[in-house]
Amino acid sequence: MTYARIAGTGGYLPERVVTNKDLEAMVDTTDEWIRERSGIKRRHIAADGETTSDMAVVAARRAIEAAGITSNDIDLIILATTTPDKVFPSTACIVQRRLGIKTIPAFDVQAACSGFIYAFDIANRFIKTDGARNVLIIGSETYSRILDWTDRATCVLFGDGAGAVVLQADEEAGVISTHIHSDGEFEELLHVPAGISSGYATVQREAAYIQMKGHEVFRKAVGTLGKIARETLADANIDKEEIDWLVPHQANLRIITAAAKKLGLPMERVIVTVDEHANTSSASIPLALDVAVRDGRIKRGDLLLFEAFGAGFTWGSALLRF
Ligand code: UT7
């Protein structure tokens, strides 16, 4: 039986840091409000001209190096993003060219903030069925380009960045289980209304930016994340006490705290980066993972639970031995 195991992680954050204080000068908000309601202190914002693929390539190289392999060993690239460089080709193909890897399959996955979990689920299935041995999974986002910087309800919440992992075939698990779900019923609660087939060029200015009914999304996120955690543990027949680290999507510290509470996990066993990175959508889990692997908190053999919730709605989880 072939299993999948994380062989290496990598991350990248743009150089420019925007603090809550900086935002006070742009919109009617306060550092105190942002910290209290979301836990965010600062975020990284891409430089002019810096793209999703630019960030993805750096994170990918770091993950490949950490895995102790070379780009030529990669046999599949799956890139999760909601903010691709171009309408087409996929950002995965752009990254493939820049990594100098020829002919292997490369494609994008779009599941908003759950994108990394979706990509992880697909990669795990490829490995389990012997369709690939070294999958490069990337989450990379430039949300700063789809934010209305005059809308205080959304512009304070997001940041840019990229995270990557190499998922590798192994005889031992590794990945124990993955779970993905969606419910299109809630499309309008969190969306960017503009799109290609709906008339991208003719829409109102606001339609090109994120629109969110924050409070409704918040309530749904807390309930759904509780359910997915229960589903994941029951399916694997694992007690919540056995989890070493919860690595959640980083949207809001209050959502993360509620999820940890439902699992009975103290916050010391939860990886939190939302304070430093804000919400980087599909990049948030691999970025948080990379931070905790590199600072030595997450160690080989630890039992990890990933969980995410995002626009769609989409949600999902992964349970794995690191
Ligand atoms: O990653 C994908 C999923 N996304 C999320 O999970 C985000 C989910 N939602 C949230 O994180 C929270 O709902 C927010 C952080 C967006 C908002 O927190 P909240 O406790 O739900 O606040 P609220 O939306 O109910 O707004 C409270 C008040 C409102 O004023 P009134 O109507 O009570 O007078 C807002 O107008 O706060 C006001 N407000 C602000 N005030 C200062 C909204 N944004 C700001 C702001 N600064 N930036």
Side-chain angles (χ1 to χ4, degrees), residues 27-30 33-34 36-40 112-114 143 151-158 190 212-219 221-222 249-255 279 281 309-311 313:
V27 286
D28 180 16
T29 192
T30 60
W33 189 96
I34 301 170
E36 261 175 25
R37 301 292 176 126
S38 71
I40 297 166
C113 295
S114 308
Y143 263 50
D151 176 16
R152 69 175 184 174
T154 51
C155 77
V156 304
L157 300 172
F158 296 89
L190 176 52
M212 175 166 72
K213 298 219 165 37
H215 203 66
E216 282 97 319
V217 176
F218 184 97
R219 285 181 40 232
V222 170
H249 168 52
Q250 310 280 324
N252 185 314
L253 185 60
R254 290 187 293 142
I255 296 177
N279 182 348
S281 190
F309 179 86
F313 289 139

Side-chain angles (χ1 to χ4, degrees), residues 3 7-8 29 35 38 40 42 46 55 87 122 139 149 158 170-171 173 244 311 322:
Y3 294 98
T29 192
R35 280 179 198 242
S38 71
I40 297 166
R42 55 187 72 84
M55 298 191 295
V87 173
I122 298 165
W149 289 98
F158 296 89
D170 204 324
E171 276 150 28
D244 293 303
F322 184 68

